[in-house]
Amino acid sequence: PLYAYPVIKILNEGRSATHIELADDYVKPMFPKVRALVVDDEPMNLVVASGLFRGYNMIVDTADSGKESIQKFTDTDYDVIFMDHMMPGMDGVEAMKRLRDVAEQKGKSVCIVALTANAISGAREMFLREGFDGFISKPIQLNEFERTMSQVMKGKFSGKGGRA
């Protein structure tokens, strides 16, 4: 991936830019067999997130509301749920809390990551304080997604991206 510093250095210094380090040894992490549910009331956001996550060999399902996410989670086990914050009817925080109740009733644990455009200062801390396992801002930055997935899936999957 390209990181901001080398790009800015090239933009500022042009062809005379020196000491630019690119990550030649980068290996894209894969998350095969990870079942993910993406919850968002905006259809285009569901399309974009699903396409990106499938690029990591994840099995992706979608829900367009908090209510639908609860129904889908009741019927299907997911390894991770990506939850939008601002949705009509039931917001993402309320949906996350209800999903945790359903998981407890099922005797399961569930990993829920806030996936939201609400990236104001302190938003990450607020979502984590509310009980989310992680936070990714929209538009989705792949390096942020990869870092968050590696953190929240730690111990649940082997280092090579398969189930442990």
Side-chain angles (χ1 to χ4, degrees), residues 63-76:
D64 64 9
S65 68
K67 183 178 178 181
E68 185 181 7
S69 72
I70 293 165
Q71 184 59 52
K72 287 196 171 191
F73 181 69
T74 300
D75 297 338
T76 306

Side-chain angles (χ1 to χ4, degrees), residues 104-130:
E104 187 176 321
Q105 292 169 8
K106 291 171 79 172
K108 305 259 181 189
S109 65
V110 61
C111 178
I112 306 173
V113 175
L115 178 62
T116 180
N118 185 4
I120 59 170
S121 178
R124 175 184 307 276
E125 292 76 18
M126 184 273 296
F127 283 109
L128 296 176
R129 217 176 22 254
E130 285 288 346

Side-chain angles (χ1 to χ4, degrees), residues 47-75:
V47 170
V48 169
S50 296
L52 287 174
F53 300 165
R54 283 186 183 111
Y56 290 85
N57 292 339
M58 296 169 67
I59 302 161
V60 183
D61 196 4
T62 62
D64 64 9
S65 68
K67 183 178 178 181
E68 185 181 7
S69 72
I70 293 165
Q71 184 59 52
K72 287 196 171 191
F73 181 69
T74 300
D75 297 338

Side-chain angles (χ1 to χ4, degrees), residues 1-3 26-36 38 48-60 79-80 82 136 140-150 153 157-163:
L2 288 176
Y3 294 96
Y26 170 75
V27 176
K28 179 179 175 178
M30 290 299 194
F31 305 101
K33 299 181 183 171
V34 170
R35 292 192 59 84
V38 181
V48 169
S50 296
L52 287 174
F53 300 165
R54 283 186 183 111
Y56 290 85
N57 292 339
M58 296 169 67
I59 302 161
V60 183
D79 299 303
V80 62
F82 296 95
I136 300 173
I140 300 168
Q141 302 295 315
L142 293 181
N143 61 340
E144 183 181 9
F145 166 75
E146 292 172 4
R147 182 176 57 252
T148 300
M149 279 296 290
S150 294
M153 293 286 110
F157 297 90
S158 69
K160 296 181 180 171
R163 289 187 181 269

